[in-house]
Structures are given as structure tokens and as C-alpha cells.
Amino acid sequence: MLQVKNLSYEVIENGQKLRIIDDISFDVADGEMLVITGPNGGGKSTMASLLMGIKPQTSGQIILDGEDITGFDIDHRAKAGLGFAFQQPPRFKGMTVKHLLQLSSGGELSEDESCKLLSNVGLCAMEYLDRQVDSTLSGGEMKRIEIATAFSKPHKLCIFDEPEAGIDLWSFSMLVQQFEAI
């Protein structure tokens, strides 16, 4: 279970304090899916970054399965069981998709396991395993590969920042089924 208590995030812009996230509290029970929607600039990506430890909260508490992870950095939050998929997935020139999947899984993956991960996100696996994770991939392909990396390892909780970005509606409905499965 994830518990978020009185989470706030402020920045200073032009000498003015701007509160981006203001005293937000919510719980996400085991097996529950929470979707946060809102307008551009509404704080959705900021919330995801705060939960993962990419940005430091100004105040509040984040508790995962009874453990206070508020002071944990991104690495320790990942080790505690949080998974994350960025809004804009990073690209790694010279790294193959297969290698990226293995790194994200934390161990060796067979070709069959790698292919299943890619197939689960709507990619024809054999066409992608040896491709580089670089600018030759479209935004939608990158998004799917990143979601596959999140699926490659069990997590207590996965955070997906705009998982639909660059993905057609039919494919996204298939991905929703995968999100529900985890």
C-alpha cells in the first residue's frame, strides 16, 4: 500500500514562492490502480517525480507498505519496490533493446522472456531485440519499450507518467489490460 500524506512541492520563480502541489493526501491499496488526470501544467508529472524521488517534496510524507520512504533517493525508492516510466523515455545510443530489458530486470533474460515483454506492449519482438534504443525509434516505440522495462521486474508499485503519449488508442487499450494484470 502507498500512503501519501500532506504532500507539497514549492519552487521559487522570479523571487515568488509558487506552490505546485498543495497538501495532497491519498492512499493506493495493493491491487488498486490510480489514474491522475488533469490539464497540462496541473502537476501530474511533478506528482510522479515526487513519488519516485526525482524531485524533493517541500513537505509531507510518502509511506510504502508501512515504511517511510520520504527521505529515500530515487535509487533507494527503486530498491524499496517502486517502478517508474518517464513521460519522455531516455534514449541510449549504442545500447540494444535486449540489453536495456536485461538491465531493467536486474538479471539475465532469455530471448523468449524478452520477446514476451515486448509482445505484451504490442511490439513484434524479433524486430526490436537487436535495435538500438536511440533516435531511430519513434516516440511510441520508445514508450512501449520503456513500459516493457517496467514490466521486466516485479514492483510493489509502478508509476507511469503519461503512458499513452505517442501510442494509438487501440494499442493503449491493450496496454491498459497489461497495467491491470500487474
Side-chain angles (χ1 to χ4, degrees):
M1 170 186 265
L2 177 73
Q3 295 174 289
V4 176
K5 298 180 179 181
N6 308 105
L7 198 65
S8 294
Y9 178 68
E10 297 173 347
V11 296
I12 305 293
E13 188 173 293
N14 298 326
Q16 299 268 59
K17 190 184 295 187
L18 212 78
R19 189 163 266 204
I20 308 296
I21 304 289
D22 188 14
D23 196 32
I24 301 291
S25 296
F26 60 89
D27 293 344
V28 181
D30 292 342
E32 184 177 23
M33 184 185 318
L34 173 68
V35 177
I36 300 174
T37 63
N40 290 343
K44 301 177 301 291
S45 293
T46 299
M47 176 63 74
S49 294
L50 294 173
L51 294 175
M52 195 62 214
I54 296 167
K55 294 181 178 179
Q57 70 281 348
T58 304
S59 62
Q61 215 176 2
I62 302 168
I63 300 167
L64 182 63
D65 287 342
E67 181 178 16
D68 188 342
I69 63 168
T70 307
F72 288 15
D73 61 20
I74 187 171
D75 184 51
H76 287 94
R77 289 184 194 202
K79 287 177 182 168
L82 289 182
F84 189 81
F86 290 91
Q87 181 177 349
Q88 296 290 325
R91 295 176 188 263
F92 304 100
K93 186 176 180 180
M95 182 183 295
T96 64
V97 170
K98 184 177 182 179
H99 187 96
L100 178 63
L101 289 170
Q102 287 181 345
L103 283 174
S104 62
S105 75
E108 290 295 314
L109 289 175
S110 69
E111 192 166 283
D112 285 346
E113 290 170 314
S114 296
C115 286
K116 186 173 192 287
L117 287 166
L118 293 173
S119 295
N120 285 345
V121 296
L123 293 176
C124 184
M126 293 310 290
E127 293 180 19
Y128 286 89
L129 286 179
D130 294 323
R131 287 192 61 186
Q132 288 190 26
V133 185
D134 61 12
S135 62
T136 63
L137 296 169
S138 73
E141 289 169 321
M142 280 300 306
K143 196 63 163 177
R144 291 170 196 241
I145 289 166
E146 184 177 44
I147 291 169
T149 66
F151 290 164
S152 71
K153 182 178 184 176
H155 297 96
K156 291 180 180 179
L157 179 84
C158 283
I159 301 165
F160 297 94
D161 189 0
E162 294 199 29
E164 78 290 354
I167 298 178
D168 61 273
L169 192 55
W170 177 84
S171 297
F172 187 68
S173 65
M174 179 200 61
L175 283 175
V176 169
Q177 293 172 355
Q178 294 299 315
F179 295 144
E180 290 171 342
I182 65 165

PDB file of all heavy atoms in Angstrom, residues 30-65:
ATOM      1  N   ASP A  30      -3.057  -2.179  -2.229  1.00  0.00           N
ATOM      2  CA  ASP A  30      -2.490  -3.249  -3.049  1.00  0.00           C
ATOM      3  C   ASP A  30      -3.532  -3.699  -4.060  1.00  0.00           C
ATOM      4  O   ASP A  30      -4.702  -3.887  -3.726  1.00  0.00           O
ATOM      5  CB  ASP A  30      -2.076  -4.432  -2.178  1.00  0.00           C
ATOM      6  CG  ASP A  30      -0.896  -4.111  -1.268  1.00  0.00           C
ATOM      7  OD1 ASP A  30      -0.195  -3.124  -1.537  1.00  0.00           O
ATOM      8  OD2 ASP A  30      -0.683  -4.862  -0.301  1.00  0.00           O
ATOM      9  N   GLY A  31      -3.111  -3.855  -5.310  1.00  0.00           N
ATOM     10  CA  GLY A  31      -4.015  -4.295  -6.365  1.00  0.00           C
ATOM     11  C   GLY A  31      -4.870  -3.195  -6.962  1.00  0.00           C
ATOM     12  O   GLY A  31      -5.607  -3.432  -7.913  1.00  0.00           O
ATOM     13  N   GLU A  32      -4.781  -1.996  -6.431  1.00  0.00           N
ATOM     14  CA  GLU A  32      -5.579  -0.878  -6.921  1.00  0.00           C
ATOM     15  C   GLU A  32      -4.805  -0.104  -7.982  1.00  0.00           C
ATOM     16  O   GLU A  32      -3.587   0.009  -7.925  1.00  0.00           O
ATOM     17  CB  GLU A  32      -5.921   0.050  -5.753  1.00  0.00           C
ATOM     18  CG  GLU A  32      -6.835   1.198  -6.111  1.00  0.00           C
ATOM     19  CD  GLU A  32      -7.205   2.044  -4.896  1.00  0.00           C
ATOM     20  OE1 GLU A  32      -6.478   2.045  -3.891  1.00  0.00           O
ATOM     21  OE2 GLU A  32      -8.237   2.715  -4.974  1.00  0.00           O
ATOM     22  N   MET A  33      -5.531   0.435  -8.965  1.00  0.00           N
ATOM     23  CA  MET A  33      -4.935   1.295  -9.974  1.00  0.00           C
ATOM     24  C   MET A  33      -5.489   2.703  -9.766  1.00  0.00           C
ATOM     25  O   MET A  33      -6.701   2.890  -9.701  1.00  0.00           O
ATOM     26  CB  MET A  33      -5.273   0.822 -11.386  1.00  0.00           C
ATOM     27  CG  MET A  33      -4.591   1.654 -12.451  1.00  0.00           C
ATOM     28  SD  MET A  33      -5.028   1.282 -14.180  1.00  0.00           S
ATOM     29  CE  MET A  33      -5.068  -0.470 -14.265  1.00  0.00           C
ATOM     30  N   LEU A  34      -4.607   3.660  -9.648  1.00  0.00           N
ATOM     31  CA  LEU A  34      -4.995   5.061  -9.502  1.00  0.00           C
ATOM     32  C   LEU A  34      -4.553   5.811 -10.749  1.00  0.00           C
ATOM     33  O   LEU A  34      -3.396   5.703 -11.168  1.00  0.00           O
ATOM     34  CB  LEU A  34      -4.325   5.676  -8.260  1.00  0.00           C
ATOM     35  CG  LEU A  34      -4.498   7.180  -8.080  1.00  0.00           C
ATOM     36  CD1 LEU A  34      -5.950   7.519  -7.763  1.00  0.00           C
ATOM     37  CD2 LEU A  34      -3.571   7.694  -6.985  1.00  0.00           C
ATOM     38  N   VAL A  35      -5.466   6.548 -11.330  1.00  0.00           N
ATOM     39  CA  VAL A  35      -5.165   7.361 -12.507  1.00  0.00           C
ATOM     40  C   VAL A  35      -5.371   8.813 -12.118  1.00  0.00           C
ATOM     41  O   VAL A  35      -6.431   9.183 -11.605  1.00  0.00           O
ATOM     42  CB  VAL A  35      -6.085   6.988 -13.698  1.00  0.00           C
ATOM     43  CG1 VAL A  35      -5.812   7.884 -14.894  1.00  0.00           C
ATOM     44  CG2 VAL A  35      -5.918   5.519 -14.061  1.00  0.00           C
ATOM     45  N   ILE A  36      -4.353   9.618 -12.357  1.00  0.00           N
ATOM     46  CA  ILE A  36      -4.449  11.052 -12.076  1.00  0.00           C
ATOM     47  C   ILE A  36      -4.548  11.771 -13.410  1.00  0.00           C
ATOM     48  O   ILE A  36      -3.672  11.631 -14.260  1.00  0.00           O
ATOM     49  CB  ILE A  36      -3.239  11.555 -11.262  1.00  0.00           C
ATOM     50  CG1 ILE A  36      -3.170  10.822  -9.923  1.00  0.00           C
ATOM     51  CG2 ILE A  36      -3.309  13.070 -11.065  1.00  0.00           C
ATOM     52  CD1 ILE A  36      -1.938  11.131  -9.092  1.00  0.00           C
ATOM     53  N   THR A  37      -5.626  12.519 -13.593  1.00  0.00           N
ATOM     54  CA  THR A  37      -5.829  13.259 -14.830  1.00  0.00           C
ATOM     55  C   THR A  37      -5.905  14.752 -14.513  1.00  0.00           C
ATOM     56  O   THR A  37      -6.101  15.143 -13.372  1.00  0.00           O
ATOM     57  CB  THR A  37      -7.124  12.823 -15.544  1.00  0.00           C
ATOM     58  OG1 THR A  37      -8.233  13.137 -14.705  1.00  0.00           O
ATOM     59  CG2 THR A  37      -7.118  11.339 -15.844  1.00  0.00           C
ATOM     60  N   GLY A  38      -5.758  15.547 -15.538  1.00  0.00           N
ATOM     61  CA  GLY A  38      -5.869  16.990 -15.373  1.00  0.00           C
ATOM     62  C   GLY A  38      -5.245  17.711 -16.536  1.00  0.00           C
ATOM     63  O   GLY A  38      -4.660  17.095 -17.433  1.00  0.00           O
ATOM     64  N   PRO A  39      -5.342  19.021 -16.541  1.00  0.00           N
ATOM     65  CA  PRO A  39      -4.822  19.811 -17.665  1.00  0.00           C
ATOM     66  C   PRO A  39      -3.293  19.836 -17.676  1.00  0.00           C
ATOM     67  O   PRO A  39      -2.643  19.537 -16.669  1.00  0.00           O
ATOM     68  CB  PRO A  39      -5.383  21.206 -17.382  1.00  0.00           C
ATOM     69  CG  PRO A  39      -5.535  21.245 -15.896  1.00  0.00           C
ATOM     70  CD  PRO A  39      -5.928  19.853 -15.496  1.00  0.00           C
ATOM     71  N   ASN A  40      -2.750  20.206 -18.830  1.00  0.00           N
ATOM     72  CA  ASN A  40      -1.302  20.428 -18.920  1.00  0.00           C
ATOM     73  C   ASN A  40      -0.909  21.450 -17.870  1.00  0.00           C
ATOM     74  O   ASN A  40      -1.609  22.448 -17.665  1.00  0.00           O
ATOM     75  CB  ASN A  40      -0.918  20.947 -20.310  1.00  0.00           C
ATOM     76  CG  ASN A  40      -1.076  19.895 -21.378  1.00  0.00           C
ATOM     77  OD1 ASN A  40      -1.176  18.708 -21.080  1.00  0.00           O
ATOM     78  ND2 ASN A  40      -1.090  20.328 -22.623  1.00  0.00           N
ATOM     79  N   GLY A  41       0.193  21.195 -17.189  1.00  0.00           N
ATOM     80  CA  GLY A  41       0.660  22.118 -16.160  1.00  0.00           C
ATOM     81  C   GLY A  41      -0.051  21.964 -14.833  1.00  0.00           C
ATOM     82  O   GLY A  41       0.150  22.751 -13.914  1.00  0.00           O
ATOM     83  N   GLY A  42      -0.892  20.922 -14.705  1.00  0.00           N
ATOM     84  CA  GLY A  42      -1.660  20.720 -13.481  1.00  0.00           C
ATOM     85  C   GLY A  42      -0.903  20.032 -12.356  1.00  0.00           C
ATOM     86  O   GLY A  42      -1.441  19.892 -11.267  1.00  0.00           O
ATOM     87  N   GLY A  43       0.321  19.551 -12.623  1.00  0.00           N
ATOM     88  CA  GLY A  43       1.133  18.945 -11.575  1.00  0.00           C
ATOM     89  C   GLY A  43       1.208  17.431 -11.604  1.00  0.00           C
ATOM     90  O   GLY A  43       1.774  16.820 -10.696  1.00  0.00           O
ATOM     91  N   LYS A  44       0.671  16.786 -12.647  1.00  0.00           N
ATOM     92  CA  LYS A  44       0.672  15.321 -12.708  1.00  0.00           C
ATOM     93  C   LYS A  44       2.092  14.760 -12.767  1.00  0.00           C
ATOM     94  O   LYS A  44       2.438  13.862 -12.001  1.00  0.00           O
ATOM     95  CB  LYS A  44      -0.122  14.845 -13.928  1.00  0.00           C
ATOM     96  CG  LYS A  44      -1.576  15.305 -13.949  1.00  0.00           C
ATOM     97  CD  LYS A  44      -2.294  14.865 -15.220  1.00  0.00           C
ATOM     98  CE  LYS A  44      -1.682  15.364 -16.503  1.00  0.00           C
ATOM     99  NZ  LYS A  44      -1.783  16.798 -16.755  1.00  0.00           N
ATOM    100  N   SER A  45       2.917  15.269 -13.666  1.00  0.00           N
ATOM    101  CA  SER A  45       4.299  14.793 -13.784  1.00  0.00           C
ATOM    102  C   SER A  45       5.110  15.161 -12.555  1.00  0.00           C
ATOM    103  O   SER A  45       5.980  14.393 -12.123  1.00  0.00           O
ATOM    104  CB  SER A  45       4.968  15.366 -15.042  1.00  0.00           C
ATOM    105  OG  SER A  45       4.349  14.833 -16.194  1.00  0.00           O
ATOM    106  N   THR A  46       4.827  16.309 -11.979  1.00  0.00           N
ATOM    107  CA  THR A  46       5.505  16.705 -10.743  1.00  0.00           C
ATOM    108  C   THR A  46       5.166  15.723  -9.634  1.00  0.00           C
ATOM    109  O   THR A  46       6.045  15.282  -8.888  1.00  0.00           O
ATOM    110  CB  THR A  46       5.118  18.142 -10.337  1.00  0.00           C
ATOM    111  OG1 THR A  46       5.516  19.030 -11.388  1.00  0.00           O
ATOM    112  CG2 THR A  46       5.773  18.547  -9.034  1.00  0.00           C
ATOM    113  N   MET A  47       3.905  15.325  -9.535  1.00  0.00           N
ATOM    114  CA  MET A  47       3.498  14.345  -8.518  1.00  0.00           C
ATOM    115  C   MET A  47       4.243  13.036  -8.726  1.00  0.00           C
ATOM    116  O   MET A  47       4.764  12.444  -7.771  1.00  0.00           O
ATOM    117  CB  MET A  47       1.985  14.118  -8.571  1.00  0.00           C
ATOM    118  CG  MET A  47       1.492  13.042  -7.625  1.00  0.00           C
ATOM    119  SD  MET A  47       1.755  13.398  -5.881  1.00  0.00           S
ATOM    120  CE  MET A  47       0.499  14.636  -5.625  1.00  0.00           C
ATOM    121  N   ALA A  48       4.320  12.571  -9.964  1.00  0.00           N
ATOM    122  CA  ALA A  48       5.041  11.327 -10.253  1.00  0.00           C
ATOM    123  C   ALA A  48       6.509  11.454  -9.856  1.00  0.00           C
ATOM    124  O   ALA A  48       7.085  10.538  -9.261  1.00  0.00           O
ATOM    125  CB  ALA A  48       4.910  10.987 -11.741  1.00  0.00           C
ATOM    126  N   SER A  49       7.118  12.588 -10.150  1.00  0.00           N
ATOM    127  CA  SER A  49       8.523  12.824  -9.807  1.00  0.00           C
ATOM    128  C   SER A  49       8.742  12.883  -8.302  1.00  0.00           C
ATOM    129  O   SER A  49       9.770  12.432  -7.796  1.00  0.00           O
ATOM    130  CB  SER A  49       9.022  14.124 -10.450  1.00  0.00           C
ATOM    131  OG  SER A  49       9.026  14.002 -11.849  1.00  0.00           O
ATOM    132  N   LEU A  50       7.793  13.436  -7.574  1.00  0.00           N
ATOM    133  CA  LEU A  50       7.891  13.474  -6.114  1.00  0.00           C
ATOM    134  C   LEU A  50       7.796  12.061  -5.537  1.00  0.00           C
ATOM    135  O   LEU A  50       8.568  11.694  -4.638  1.00  0.00           O
ATOM    136  CB  LEU A  50       6.780  14.339  -5.510  1.00  0.00           C
ATOM    137  CG  LEU A  50       6.828  15.827  -5.812  1.00  0.00           C
ATOM    138  CD1 LEU A  50       5.573  16.515  -5.277  1.00  0.00           C
ATOM    139  CD2 LEU A  50       8.076  16.477  -5.245  1.00  0.00           C
ATOM    140  N   LEU A  51       6.862  11.270  -6.043  1.00  0.00           N
ATOM    141  CA  LEU A  51       6.688   9.912  -5.536  1.00  0.00           C
ATOM    142  C   LEU A  51       7.937   9.062  -5.765  1.00  0.00           C
ATOM    143  O   LEU A  51       8.322   8.269  -4.911  1.00  0.00           O
ATOM    144  CB  LEU A  51       5.473   9.246  -6.183  1.00  0.00           C
ATOM    145  CG  LEU A  51       4.115   9.857  -5.854  1.00  0.00           C
ATOM    146  CD1 LEU A  51       3.013   9.173  -6.654  1.00  0.00           C
ATOM    147  CD2 LEU A  51       3.828   9.788  -4.359  1.00  0.00           C
ATOM    148  N   MET A  52       8.585   9.264  -6.912  1.00  0.00           N
ATOM    149  CA  MET A  52       9.757   8.460  -7.247  1.00  0.00           C
ATOM    150  C   MET A  52      11.037   9.015  -6.631  1.00  0.00           C
ATOM    151  O   MET A  52      12.043   8.336  -6.617  1.00  0.00           O
ATOM    152  CB  MET A  52       9.888   8.361  -8.769  1.00  0.00           C
ATOM    153  CG  MET A  52      10.832   7.281  -9.230  1.00  0.00           C
ATOM    154  SD  MET A  52      10.267   5.641  -8.729  1.00  0.00           S
ATOM    155  CE  MET A  52      11.832   4.848  -8.449  1.00  0.00           C
ATOM    156  N   GLY A  53      10.995  10.233  -6.107  1.00  0.00           N
ATOM    157  CA  GLY A  53      12.199  10.812  -5.509  1.00  0.00           C
ATOM    158  C   GLY A  53      13.076  11.543  -6.499  1.00  0.00           C
ATOM    159  O   GLY A  53      14.229  11.860  -6.209  1.00  0.00           O
ATOM    160  N   ILE A  54      12.552  11.833  -7.668  1.00  0.00           N
ATOM    161  CA  ILE A  54      13.300  12.595  -8.672  1.00  0.00           C
ATOM    162  C   ILE A  54      13.383  14.056  -8.240  1.00  0.00           C
ATOM    163  O   ILE A  54      14.401  14.712  -8.431  1.00  0.00           O
ATOM    164  CB  ILE A  54      12.642  12.457 -10.059  1.00  0.00           C
ATOM    165  CG1 ILE A  54      12.716  10.982 -10.504  1.00  0.00           C
ATOM    166  CG2 ILE A  54      13.284  13.372 -11.081  1.00  0.00           C
ATOM    167  CD1 ILE A  54      11.846  10.645 -11.689  1.00  0.00           C
ATOM    168  N   LYS A  55      12.297  14.537  -7.658  1.00  0.00           N
ATOM    169  CA  LYS A  55      12.250  15.883  -7.075  1.00  0.00           C
ATOM    170  C   LYS A  55      11.971  15.730  -5.582  1.00  0.00           C
ATOM    171  O   LYS A  55      11.212  14.839  -5.186  1.00  0.00           O
ATOM    172  CB  LYS A  55      11.127  16.719  -7.709  1.00  0.00           C
ATOM    173  CG  LYS A  55      11.353  17.030  -9.161  1.00  0.00           C
ATOM    174  CD  LYS A  55      10.228  17.863  -9.719  1.00  0.00           C
ATOM    175  CE  LYS A  55      10.542  18.172 -11.184  1.00  0.00           C
ATOM    176  NZ  LYS A  55       9.497  18.961 -11.802  1.00  0.00           N
ATOM    177  N   PRO A  56      12.547  16.605  -4.767  1.00  0.00           N
ATOM    178  CA  PRO A  56      12.289  16.516  -3.323  1.00  0.00           C
ATOM    179  C   PRO A  56      11.021  17.274  -2.939  1.00  0.00           C
ATOM    180  O   PRO A  56      10.816  18.416  -3.349  1.00  0.00           O
ATOM    181  CB  PRO A  56      13.525  17.194  -2.716  1.00  0.00           C
ATOM    182  CG  PRO A  56      13.934  18.200  -3.748  1.00  0.00           C
ATOM    183  CD  PRO A  56      13.575  17.600  -5.082  1.00  0.00           C
ATOM    184  N   GLN A  57      10.161  16.642  -2.164  1.00  0.00           N
ATOM    185  CA  GLN A  57       8.955  17.324  -1.711  1.00  0.00           C
ATOM    186  C   GLN A  57       9.335  18.440  -0.734  1.00  0.00           C
ATOM    187  O   GLN A  57      10.353  18.364  -0.060  1.00  0.00           O
ATOM    188  CB  GLN A  57       7.972  16.342  -1.057  1.00  0.00           C
ATOM    189  CG  GLN A  57       8.394  15.800   0.277  1.00  0.00           C
ATOM    190  CD  GLN A  57       9.417  14.675   0.183  1.00  0.00           C
ATOM    191  OE1 GLN A  57       9.673  14.138  -0.884  1.00  0.00           O
ATOM    192  NE2 GLN A  57      10.011  14.340   1.305  1.00  0.00           N
ATOM    193  N   THR A  58       8.514  19.465  -0.676  1.00  0.00           N
ATOM    194  CA  THR A  58       8.719  20.546   0.287  1.00  0.00           C
ATOM    195  C   THR A  58       8.271  20.090   1.670  1.00  0.00           C
ATOM    196  O   THR A  58       8.903  20.393   2.675  1.00  0.00           O
ATOM    197  CB  THR A  58       7.931  21.799  -0.147  1.00  0.00           C
ATOM    198  OG1 THR A  58       8.334  22.146  -1.479  1.00  0.00           O
ATOM    199  CG2 THR A  58       8.201  22.964   0.782  1.00  0.00           C
ATOM    200  N   SER A  59       7.165  19.356   1.702  1.00  0.00           N
ATOM    201  CA  SER A  59       6.671  18.806   2.963  1.00  0.00           C
ATOM    202  C   SER A  59       5.805  17.599   2.655  1.00  0.00           C
ATOM    203  O   SER A  59       5.434  17.360   1.513  1.00  0.00           O
ATOM    204  CB  SER A  59       5.870  19.858   3.746  1.00  0.00           C
ATOM    205  OG  SER A  59       4.737  20.271   3.009  1.00  0.00           O
ATOM    206  N   GLY A  60       5.500  16.849   3.687  1.00  0.00           N
ATOM    207  CA  GLY A  60       4.645  15.686   3.544  1.00  0.00           C
ATOM    208  C   GLY A  60       5.412  14.403   3.725  1.00  0.00           C
ATOM    209  O   GLY A  60       6.623  14.395   3.972  1.00  0.00           O
ATOM    210  N   GLN A  61       4.690  13.316   3.587  1.00  0.00           N
ATOM    211  CA  GLN A  61       5.235  12.003   3.864  1.00  0.00           C
ATOM    212  C   GLN A  61       4.783  11.012   2.802  1.00  0.00           C
ATOM    213  O   GLN A  61       3.641  11.075   2.324  1.00  0.00           O
ATOM    214  CB  GLN A  61       4.702  11.543   5.228  1.00  0.00           C
ATOM    215  CG  GLN A  61       5.639  10.746   6.030  1.00  0.00           C
ATOM    216  CD  GLN A  61       5.035  10.424   7.408  1.00  0.00           C
ATOM    217  OE1 GLN A  61       3.899  10.766   7.736  1.00  0.00           O
ATOM    218  NE2 GLN A  61       5.817   9.741   8.206  1.00  0.00           N
ATOM    219  N   ILE A  62       5.694  10.087   2.433  1.00  0.00           N
ATOM    220  CA  ILE A  62       5.381   9.020   1.480  1.00  0.00           C
ATOM    221  C   ILE A  62       5.725   7.705   2.169  1.00  0.00           C
ATOM    222  O   ILE A  62       6.862   7.493   2.593  1.00  0.00           O
ATOM    223  CB  ILE A  62       6.187   9.185   0.174  1.00  0.00           C
ATOM    224  CG1 ILE A  62       5.887  10.555  -0.464  1.00  0.00           C
ATOM    225  CG2 ILE A  62       5.872   8.051  -0.795  1.00  0.00           C
ATOM    226  CD1 ILE A  62       6.823  10.950  -1.579  1.00  0.00           C
ATOM    227  N   ILE A  63       4.725   6.834   2.283  1.00  0.00           N
ATOM    228  CA  ILE A  63       4.896   5.577   3.007  1.00  0.00           C
ATOM    229  C   ILE A  63       4.533   4.426   2.064  1.00  0.00           C
ATOM    230  O   ILE A  63       3.448   4.409   1.478  1.00  0.00           O
ATOM    231  CB  ILE A  63       4.007   5.543   4.272  1.00  0.00           C
ATOM    232  CG1 ILE A  63       4.403   6.704   5.194  1.00  0.00           C
ATOM    233  CG2 ILE A  63       4.105   4.197   4.981  1.00  0.00           C
ATOM    234  CD1 ILE A  63       3.421   6.984   6.307  1.00  0.00           C
ATOM    235  N   LEU A  64       5.448   3.472   1.919  1.00  0.00           N
ATOM    236  CA  LEU A  64       5.234   2.306   1.069  1.00  0.00           C
ATOM    237  C   LEU A  64       5.245   1.059   1.939  1.00  0.00           C
ATOM    238  O   LEU A  64       6.256   0.758   2.586  1.00  0.00           O
ATOM    239  CB  LEU A  64       6.334   2.220  -0.004  1.00  0.00           C
ATOM    240  CG  LEU A  64       6.226   1.071  -1.004  1.00  0.00           C
ATOM    241  CD1 LEU A  64       4.957   1.191  -1.849  1.00  0.00           C
ATOM    242  CD2 LEU A  64       7.453   1.029  -1.905  1.00  0.00           C
ATOM    243  N   ASP A  65       4.130   0.378   1.981  1.00  0.00           N
ATOM    244  CA  ASP A  65       3.983  -0.834   2.797  1.00  0.00           C
ATOM    245  C   ASP A  65       4.453  -0.623   4.235  1.00  0.00           C
ATOM    246  O   ASP A  65       5.194  -1.437   4.795  1.00  0.00           O
ATOM    247  CB  ASP A  65       4.730  -2.012   2.164  1.00  0.00           C
ATOM    248  CG  ASP A  65       4.025  -2.543   0.923  1.00  0.00           C
ATOM    249  OD1 ASP A  65       2.818  -2.244   0.752  1.00  0.00           O
ATOM    250  OD2 ASP A  65       4.663  -3.242   0.140  1.00  0.00           O
TER     251      ASP A  65
END
